[in-house]
Amino acid sequence: MRVILKTRPRAKPKIPIEAEEIIPQNFLRKNDIRVYEGNKERALDDLFFVTYEGPAVSPDQVEIVLTGDTGVIKRVGEYMNAGRIIIEGDIGMHCGNFMSAGEILIRGNADAWLGREMRGGHILCEGNSGHYCAAGYRGEKRGMRGGIVEVRGNSGDFTAEYLSGGEVIIHGDCGDLPGVEMRGGTLVIGGDCSRPCGNMTGGTCMIFGEAHKFLPTFRKNGTDDIVYAGKHYLMNLFRGDVANRGKGTLMVRQ
Amino acid sequence: MSGLLIKNAFVIDPISGVKGEIMDIAICDGKIVEEAPRDAEIIDAKGHLTLPGGIDSHSHVCGTKVNFGRYMSPEDMRAGRTARKGVMHVTSGYSVPTTFGNSYRYSTMGYTTVLEGAMAPLEARHTHEEFTATPHQDMLANTLFDGNWSVMEAVREKDVKRAAAVVAWTLSAVKGFAIKLTNPGGTEAWGWGRDMSTIHDVVPNFEVTPAEIIGTMIRANELLNLPHSVHLHCNNLGVPGNYRTTLDTISLVPDLNKDRQSLYLTHVQFHSYGGTTWRDICSKSEDITRTINSTPHVVMDMGQIMFGRTTTMTADGPMEFKLYMLHHNKWSNHDVELETGSGIIPVYYSRKSLVNCVMWAIGLELALLTKNPWQCLLSTDSPNGAPFIKYPEIIGLLMSRRFRENERKMIDPRTEHFVPLFAIDRELEWYDIAVMTRAGQAKALGITRIGKGYLTPGAEADVAIYPIKPGEIDPSVEYQQVVAGFSRTLYTIKRGRVVARDGEVVVEGANSTIWSKSNVPAEYDMGSDPEFTRKFEQYYTVRMRNYPVQEVYLPRGKMIASEAFL
Ligand SMILES: [Zn+2]
């Protein structure tokens, strides 16, 4: 089944929409789905033109397509556990919170907290992502625990903060402090970043661009010739963060 | 005149000697009276358990330290959220809720009076502002004197009267209720990089020992004729083998007051450990309770821990540092100039941790082995042992051996080798619970004089009616009903007005703050003592005239005045 949600024109288009109920399992039985516009509760129909195409017997056969002015919609895919969500444009904060399985494809940019504390599944963002991509929310000691988040563009600050499992791949640049407090999993940064992996205790981070303001609390551990995505790279190897008795691995391309 | 008549109440009112009788309670203008006005509203209690409003004699709900607990744990604030509803504000937080969260949750459990366990004098304004926003409970503040420089100087000079004078000035300046000593001398010593291991170690720069501070303050407290006794958090909290320190401390206490105890020991569970390390830690509750049973002039509260997540917060900075070294989680440490300090860390008490299981057992043992319920009050040192919403579960455990046995199956099986809990058959009765949750507190805090903790004419009309019919249930078997019953009242009545009903708060509430003022002769007024004022202006970063909390911070302040014997 394909569900197409096209945003309706709104009188005040800047008011954010909170839509944690937009997940495939909720459309299977065509539940009464409620969303919030600011602090007002609305029916899905009030804010979207909804079209259903074809049948589905299980949530993994449900595909949701979001189009229109989607950049203000928050929490899409929260606790999603099956199926597929395709966002034709940008998406608001907290997309894919806690998701455990299924797939989210974002053709535009994602705002902050993309894949926050995600446990499994796959998120692909073809544009850029905001701050705290694949991180833990305020105060949380574990960020993403499993699954894959892939961003084709750049990512903001604090990417993969508290990462403890799964894989985060940023093809472009990251902002400040990617992989800070990381304790497991893998973070791959295709471009540049600054101050990577402060306080890391575990996991692996690979940086193929330049690491600016490199922290002095990482111990050089030789070099290694690695194969990533079918290509050879010579990497400088570091262990740390020694300030935190960390046993993480940080690799930076020579 | 507004009246209320509660009919057919199954009343237990230990202070008035009522041990479970069906009776009516008449209320007029916020007080219990002989006869209700003719137009009084009537509540039919239908034989349900009716007690004086609950009183918590040691909890951490307001003040800078509590607030720091809130903002260092945003994940805790995301737990326990409730939406705005009727007169109820939005609330959030589980172990450190918002002030309204605390107030509503206490209110639906039937609590109408709460004592904040530790207020740093310098930071009193913040505490009073939060008191005002805790509208369903009358509030009192224990005021910290454990590292007060002027007090320690007086102790060094062996000048009890001067120590008393400093206390009198400070209490009245910050609108505090009683003297609180948290790890006396220990936090100050730690500030200089030292650790105190017994109450006879010397605090650097002051040349006084914790034992001297405690002894002097007990005497000073009686000279000031304060309603409550000294409220002590002993030295060496949480250290294996610390029961010796606790016993040493109890042996210092003279019997100086005929109406109440001369020393209140708080969260004694944390101070009853045997062994030498975390590996061989064991319960010494038997030694402690044996001493308590033969020392009627000392009262304690349990400081029970319950399994789950919570936040620890105390003025005992060094202890929190040790906990931090154990957990390596987030930690806050704070120094309050010339007075005290504090520390905060989040913790998780686990059934899989032998140490935690031993701690859990000790708290219960203290309550079960203390013969006189007036000497062991129910508390979790909320939120240190558990948030106060766990009280009903503790009541269930104390009233039901079967409940304890069921818990035994879920905890670390080695626990029974380290604790006597499972050999204790005692099951507390409704009367014991009524003492341990309100009457005992009222007496220990000395607030029966303002009508707290009982239900005979003249008393404040603070009443809690629970959905429990004592004659019809067997608490040792139907303990789940006991837990559910104590979790939400049918009616909570505060000053003659129904404030909560069936777990829902129905009015905004308007509380008062109770504070103590001891009138001292002019020569003991520290406000005009040249030595005191000189040092104040020299050392504090605030001017002495800006230090006292103005009346505007206590919109409904209620002063308990006393005459000092100086
Ligand atoms: Zn306390």
Side-chain angles (χ1 to χ4, degrees):
Chain A
M1 179 169 69
R2 231 170 119 88
V3 184
I4 301 163
L5 303 173
K6 185 172 179 346
T7 55
R8 288 179 190 269
R10 291 189 291 151
K12 291 180 180 164
K14 282 187 179 162
I15 294 181
I17 296 170
E18 296 223 15
E20 72 275 23
E21 294 199 9
I22 299 186
I23 46 174
Q25 57 259 49
N26 282 350
F27 285 88
L28 189 61
R29 271 165 271 115
K30 298 188 182 163
N31 292 355
D32 176 26
I33 291 171
R34 313 294 295 182
V35 291
Y36 274 85
E37 183 184 22
N39 59 2
K40 303 273 186 314
E41 195 178 337
R42 308 266 190 236
L44 191 64
D45 278 341
D46 296 344
L47 300 181
F48 296 91
F49 299 106
V50 187
T51 4
Y52 293 92
E53 292 172 359
V57 290
S58 74
D60 44 81
Q61 294 165 346
V62 177
E63 179 178 286
I64 302 170
V65 181
L66 274 159
T67 69
D69 182 18
T70 50
V72 291
I73 309 176
K74 300 178 185 174
R75 296 170 72 188
V76 168
E78 184 167 299
Y79 288 108
M80 163 172 179
N81 59 18
R84 201 168 136 88
I85 299 178
I86 298 168
I87 296 141
E88 296 292 357
D90 298 344
I91 192 68
M93 289 193 275
H94 290 278
C95 178
N97 275 356
F98 313 110
M99 79 184 266
S100 54
E103 210 181 311
I104 298 179
L105 170 63
I106 303 156
R107 297 216 195 272
N109 302 322
D111 207 336
W113 308 105
L114 175 67
R116 159 193 164 196
E117 291 160 53
M118 150 176 188
R119 281 124 163 113
H122 195 147
I123 297 179
L124 173 61
C125 172
E126 295 187 339
N128 302 322
S129 71
H131 299 313
Y132 292 100
C133 171
Y137 202 46
R138 308 286 186 208
E140 223 56 63
K141 303 303 281 187
R142 291 175 78 188
M144 176 172 158
R145 299 175 197 186
I148 299 170
V149 174
E150 188 173 354
V151 177
R152 291 266 161 80
N154 303 324
S155 180
D157 298 340
F158 296 100
T159 300
E161 186 199 36
Y162 282 108
L163 179 69
S164 48
E167 198 175 354
V168 181
I169 304 154
I170 312 292
H171 291 271
D173 300 336
C174 277
D176 203 12
L177 296 163
V180 65
E181 298 280 1
M182 195 173 148
R183 43 189 56 194
T186 308
L187 169 61
V188 179
I189 301 170
D192 303 344
C193 65
S194 69
R195 298 196 291 178
C197 297
N199 252 357
M200 115 193 265
T201 52
T204 304
C205 173
M206 293 180 235
I207 301 167
F208 292 96
E210 219 162 312
H212 302 288
K213 298 191 208 161
F214 195 79
L215 296 169
T217 49
F218 283 83
R219 185 173 288 136
K220 185 97 197 291
N221 207 8
T223 55
D224 198 4
D225 190 14
I226 64 160
V227 180
Y228 184 77
K231 278 193 186 166
H232 279 273
Y233 296 94
L234 188 61
M235 309 291 276
N236 281 326
L237 238 60
F238 298 89
R239 301 280 283 169
D241 179 333
V242 290
N244 207 21
R245 293 189 213 128
K247 295 190 174 65
T249 305
L250 175 53
M251 301 181 205
V252 187
R253 189 178 172 184
Q254 228 174 22
Chain B
M1 277 205 311
S2 68
L4 185 65
L5 180 63
I6 306 168
K7 296 189 112 164
N8 305 314
F10 183 94
V11 177
I12 302 179
D13 174 3
I15 288 177
S16 314
V18 180
K19 297 190 174 180
E21 280 171 38
I22 296 284
M23 53 196 271
D24 296 350
I25 298 169
I27 294 167
C28 182
D29 289 338
K31 297 271 183 206
I32 309 276
V33 292
E34 292 288 356
E35 208 162 325
R38 209 162 295 157
D39 60 346
E41 193 190 321
I42 293 174
I43 289 176
D44 187 352
K46 296 179 185 154
H48 286 112
L49 179 65
T50 302
L51 304 174
I55 301 174
D56 197 331
S57 56
H58 192 106
S59 175
H60 300 275
V61 283
C62 294
T64 46
K65 156 173 62 44
V66 177
N67 213 33
F68 205 95
R70 293 185 184 111
Y71 60 79
M72 75 188 267
S73 296
E75 75 284 8
D76 189 73
M77 295 313 282
R78 289 196 290 277
R81 286 184 186 174
T82 59
R84 192 176 74 177
K85 191 174 179 188
V87 297
M88 289 167 83
H89 293 253
V90 166
T91 78
S92 66
Y94 170 70
S95 66
V96 201
T98 54
T99 55
F100 290 107
N102 278 322
S103 194
Y104 299 157
R105 291 170 208 178
Y106 261 126
S107 196
T108 53
M109 285 165 51
Y111 276 75
T112 51
T113 306
V114 175
L115 175 131
E116 160 57 45
M119 170 173 83
L122 186 61
E123 293 167 353
R125 274 184 187 79
H126 187 137
T127 311
H128 286 293
E129 286 182 313
E130 288 196 19
F131 278 180
T132 313
T134 311
H136 280 239
Q137 285 77 30
D138 289 341
M139 303 298 294
L140 314 92
N142 266 349
T143 309
L144 293 160
F145 287 98
D146 38 69
N148 188 300
W149 286 18
S150 306
V151 165
M152 286 193 291
E153 282 169 1
V155 172
R156 181 180 56 204
E157 306 304 325
K158 307 208 183 312
D159 191 343
V160 182
K161 291 186 173 182
R162 192 172 175 86
V166 172
V167 170
W169 183 83
T170 310
L171 281 184
S172 128
V174 305
K175 309 289 184 276
F177 174 71
I179 299 175
K180 170 76 184 296
L181 301 176
T182 294
N183 184 7
T187 304
E188 178 65 29
W190 188 64
W192 299 99
R194 304 268 197 87
D195 202 14
M196 313 275 275
S197 56
T198 78
I199 56 170
H200 304 293
D201 290 3
V202 175
V203 183
N205 304 320
F206 289 93
E207 311 309 318
V208 297
T209 65
E212 288 164 354
I213 300 175
I214 297 165
T216 307
M217 290 304 251
I218 291 174
R219 286 175 178 83
N221 191 85
E222 298 313 315
L223 288 180
L224 293 174
N225 202 6
L226 294 174
H228 187 35
S229 67
V230 167
H231 194 112
L232 177 65
H233 154 141
C234 287
N235 301 75
N236 283 336
L237 181 143
V239 178
N242 64 7
Y243 79 107
R244 285 180 206 285
T245 305
T246 310
L247 293 179
D248 266 0
T249 306
I250 297 173
S251 73
L252 291 176
V253 188
D255 183 4
L256 297 176
N257 192 302
K258 62 176 174 27
D259 297 323
R260 55 147 170 81
Q261 76 286 351
S262 295
L263 182 67
Y264 180 104
L265 292 175
T266 189
H267 42 70
V268 176
Q269 176 275 127
F270 291 111
H271 303 275
S272 305
Y273 306 154
T276 52
T277 65
W278 293 112
R279 273 173 233 285
D280 65 354
I281 185 175
C282 63
S283 168
K284 286 288 175 185
S285 61
E286 285 167 317
D287 297 59
I288 298 286
T289 50
R290 198 178 307 125
T291 306
I292 291 288
N293 287 337
S294 60
T295 317
H297 53 278
V298 170
V299 166
M300 62 178 173
D301 72 56
M302 295 162 71
Q304 177 65 22
I305 73 148
M306 295 295 273
F307 300 113
R309 205 170 58 140
T310 192
T311 306
T312 65
M313 47 178 65
T314 161
D316 195 343
M319 190 287 292
E320 292 284 357
F321 174 68
K322 287 174 201 155
L323 270 184
Y324 163 70
M325 295 306 281
L326 222 58
H327 294 272
H328 281 285
N329 197 343
K330 40 192 158 185
W331 167 52
S332 142
N333 182 54
H334 181 57
D335 175 59
V336 183
E337 59 186 41
L338 297 101
E339 293 179 350
T340 180
S342 74
I344 306 162
I345 74 157
V347 294
Y348 184 86
Y349 295 119
S350 167
R351 286 187 172 85
K352 291 185 191 131
S353 152
L354 178 60
V355 173
N356 293 163
C357 294
V358 170
M359 292 164 77
W360 171 83
I362 293 174
L364 298 173
E365 290 158 15
L366 291 172
L368 294 168
L369 295 173
T370 301
K371 289 188 185 134
N372 179 359
W374 299 86
Q375 275 185 279
C376 183
L377 309 176
L378 190 146
S379 84
T380 57
D381 188 18
S382 174
N384 288 302
F388 62 82
I389 49 168
K390 297 278 190 178
Y391 288 178
E393 253 179 82
I394 299 171
I395 295 174
L397 288 163
L398 294 175
M399 295 188 83
S400 169
R401 176 141 205 249
R402 186 180 296 196
F403 192 3
R404 301 198 288 268
E405 283 298 322
N406 286 343
E407 276 292 309
R408 178 189 197 167
K409 291 173 201 146
M410 291 191 283
I411 64 176
D412 189 308
R414 292 169 296 172
T415 308
E416 60 191 56
H417 303 303
F418 297 90
V419 306
L421 179 68
F422 303 107
I424 303 172
D425 291 330
R426 186 171 175 203
E427 293 180 327
L428 297 188
E429 291 168 14
W430 301 110
Y431 176 84
D432 300 321
I433 299 301
V435 172
M436 291 174 67
T437 55
R438 49 262 293 157
Q441 278 83 353
K443 188 169 167 239
L445 295 175
I447 51 176
T448 48
R449 72 182 74 184
I450 54 165
K452 294 280 182 193
Y454 61 102
L455 293 174
T456 41
E460 291 253 300
D462 295 350
V463 191
I465 309 175
Y466 294 97
I468 294 172
K469 292 189 176 175
E472 293 175 21
I473 75 164
D474 177 0
S476 70
V477 183
E478 295 158 290
Y479 54 84
Q480 287 304 356
Q481 268 170 264
V482 174
V483 175
F486 279 111
S487 298
R488 48 193 288 181
T489 57
L490 290 173
Y491 296 90
T492 302
I493 295 160
K494 173 103 196 87
R495 226 178 291 130
R497 198 162 58 129
V498 175
V499 292
R501 224 185 133 158
D502 298 323
E504 255 176 55
V505 161
V506 294
V507 298
E508 287 273 3
N511 65 342
S512 38
T513 297
I514 301 163
W515 59 287
S516 310
K517 181 168 173 55
S518 180
N519 295 312
V520 297
E523 70 261 38
Y524 287 103
D525 177 10
M526 286 291 130
S528 50
D529 182 89
E531 167 85 353
F532 185 81
T533 44
R534 184 184 62 77
K535 284 201 170 152
F536 198 111
E537 298 296 0
Q538 188 176 350
Y539 293 135
Y540 270 103
T541 55
V542 280
R543 291 240 171 274
M544 197 164 161
R545 65 168 186 277
N546 293 331
Y547 185 87
V549 174
Q550 296 90 332
E551 298 283 342
V552 67
Y553 285 87
L554 288 81
R556 286 169 298 275
K558 189 186 268 186
M559 178 180 80
I560 300 183
S562 59
E563 293 304 318
F565 308 119
L566 284 176

